[in-house]
Amino acid sequence: MSEFFAMGGYGLYVWGSFGMSALLMVAEPLLLQRQRREIITTLLRMARQKRGEARTMDEGVIE
Amino acid sequence: MHSRLINWFKFSSPATFYPLAGRLVPWFTWGAVLLLGVGLYLSFFVAPTDYKQGEGYRIIFIHVPAAWMSMFLYLVMAGWAAIGLVFNTRLSAMMTSSLAPTGAMFAFLALWTGAFWGKPMWGTWWVWDARLTSELILLFLYIGFIALKSSIDDPRRGDRAGAILILVGVINIPIIYYSVQWWNTLHQGSTIKMSGETSMDEVMLITMLIMTFGCWSYAFATALSRVRCIILERERGTTWVQELIEKEEGRGA
């Protein structure tokens, strides 16, 4: 098994290349999922605020 | 002619494209996972050892796909940018900006894996070689596009400015592609020739093509899911987004 990681002496270079690629190609989808959640929660908060304002307007708060 | 035109434009509105992209993402995601899984297995356990570079050459199975993808995604961006400028369709501009980060990642990976391959084989991480330099310029173009878009408040003007930058930069792609023929470069000449016979071991070639399609499928999965985020953000004032958000609220997203 260990000679597999040695890659005939090129281990650092082969695993440096594949490792960085794997790191980025896993990180990007995770960042995308987080970005999607953030947008939805922001839009939800804005929608709730708008509903909140609408309610106070209806209850004749304006003097 | 009339009905065909309408059909074609049916999916060009963000509202109709959003669910379509949503249905496509899982297919491209699983396609990428499958292809990259098989590709990686072939890369390490099936592809033969190289007579000259031993095991070190296996970096080719990520270096070449990344480099091809960095150029291919830029061309797709240029296509969308041109359509966006001509037809003034918002969705084309959204597609352009959804591809940029993934394209930048592949350009960076092409440079990174190239350097990690160059160090053992050429004895240096970097050299101002025609191909390496033009690929570096490609990375700067991607980053410049992203920075330009984020620095312009009005999305519509940002779209136009971004599209113009991409189209101005598209000349760089043939320069990268033909750099190995125009200048005598340290970088390898094009081994995979569309025209002539490809001087490469059969199994190595198949492995590299599988990895390339895996990266291609990955790029579409990320671009389509990112365009959905962009659509939500830019269309947040519309009723269909409000309804979608209420549905999400119901599901406790």
Side-chain angles (χ1 to χ4, degrees):
Chain A
M1 198 53 196
S2 74
E3 86 283 350
F4 170 73
F5 288 108
M7 272 293 146
Y10 294 108
L12 163 71
Y13 305 110
V14 172
W15 301 116
S17 306
F18 280 89
M20 175 56 81
S21 312
L23 180 75
L24 294 184
M25 289 172 82
V26 167
E28 189 181 16
L30 295 179
L31 286 173
L32 267 172
Q33 272 171 356
R34 204 186 62 182
Q35 183 186 355
R36 179 176 166 78
R37 260 200 313 279
E38 272 164 17
I39 291 173
I40 288 180
T41 37
T42 325
L43 293 183
L44 273 175
R45 206 172 44 261
M46 284 160 67
R48 249 181 245 116
Q49 269 160 5
K50 213 180 292 160
R51 250 181 265 131
E53 279 144 24
R55 215 173 303 114
T56 47
M57 293 286 283
D58 297 345
E59 288 145 10
V61 170
I62 316 143
E63 277 75 28
Chain B
M1 164 55 182
H2 183 63
S3 64
R4 201 157 37 80
L5 187 66
I6 291 185
N7 268 342
W8 187 69
F9 271 95
K10 185 163 86 67
F11 282 113
S12 79
S13 87
T16 45
F17 186 72
Y18 182 88
L20 174 68
R23 276 195 302 276
L24 290 175
V25 166
W27 289 94
F28 282 117
T29 309
W30 288 110
V33 168
L34 213 66
L35 286 167
L36 290 174
V38 169
L40 284 171
Y41 175 75
L42 294 177
S43 307
F44 289 111
F45 301 109
V46 176
T49 308
D50 185 58
Y51 71 95
K52 201 156 51 146
Q53 298 191 12
E55 306 301 334
Y57 91 99
R58 294 184 192 281
I59 298 174
I60 196 174
F61 297 127
I62 188 67
H63 176 65
V64 171
W68 278 349
M69 285 310 295
S70 70
M71 292 192 280
F72 172 68
L73 289 183
Y74 193 92
L75 289 178
V76 175
M77 276 177 70
W80 283 120
I83 291 171
L85 277 179
V86 168
F87 293 105
N88 213 352
T89 45
R90 296 192 315 279
L91 186 61
S92 321
M94 294 180 194
M95 277 307 292
T96 311
S97 32
S98 74
L99 287 158
T102 308
M105 183 197 78
F106 278 124
F108 169 76
L109 279 181
L111 291 165
W112 175 277
T113 54
F116 267 67
W117 197 1
K119 181 58 182 164
M121 306 306 168
W122 299 342
T124 170
W125 296 103
W126 178 261
V127 64
W128 293 101
D129 169 274
R131 166 147 295 178
L132 282 71
T133 312
S134 44
E135 181 75 22
L136 185 64
I137 292 168
L138 177 62
L139 178 61
F140 289 149
L141 274 169
Y142 275 123
I143 294 168
F145 172 81
I146 296 168
L148 176 68
K149 287 293 293 269
S150 60
S151 67
I152 298 177
D153 297 333
D154 169 19
R156 302 293 293 133
R157 288 183 63 221
D159 293 345
R160 270 191 303 279
I164 290 163
L165 170 64
I166 290 294
L167 288 172
V168 161
V170 90
I171 184 63
N172 187 35
I173 301 300
I175 291 174
I176 296 174
Y177 192 75
Y178 291 108
S179 60
V180 286
Q181 281 141 26
W182 293 341
W183 299 283
N184 72 3
T185 65
L186 184 57
H187 188 282
Q188 160 119 358
S190 55
T191 317
I192 314 291
K193 288 182 273 298
M194 303 302 171
S195 52
E197 183 268 335
T198 307
S199 62
M200 192 176 177
D201 172 277
E202 197 61 36
V203 177
M204 291 182 190
L205 177 61
I206 291 167
T207 309
M208 199 164 64
L209 292 178
I210 290 175
M211 287 294 283
T212 302
F213 281 113
C215 291
W216 180 85
S217 188
Y218 164 88
F220 268 77
T222 38
L224 286 174
S225 43
R226 183 173 293 115
V227 82
R228 278 162 59 90
C229 293
I230 294 172
I231 289 175
L232 279 183
E233 228 167 296
R234 285 181 60 171
E235 304 285 302
R236 56 174 174 265
T238 60
T239 50
W240 72 273
V241 169
Q242 299 304 337
E243 280 146 19
L244 194 104
I245 291 302
E246 260 112 37
K247 235 187 315 167
E248 290 284 335
E249 190 179 26
R251 269 210 320 241

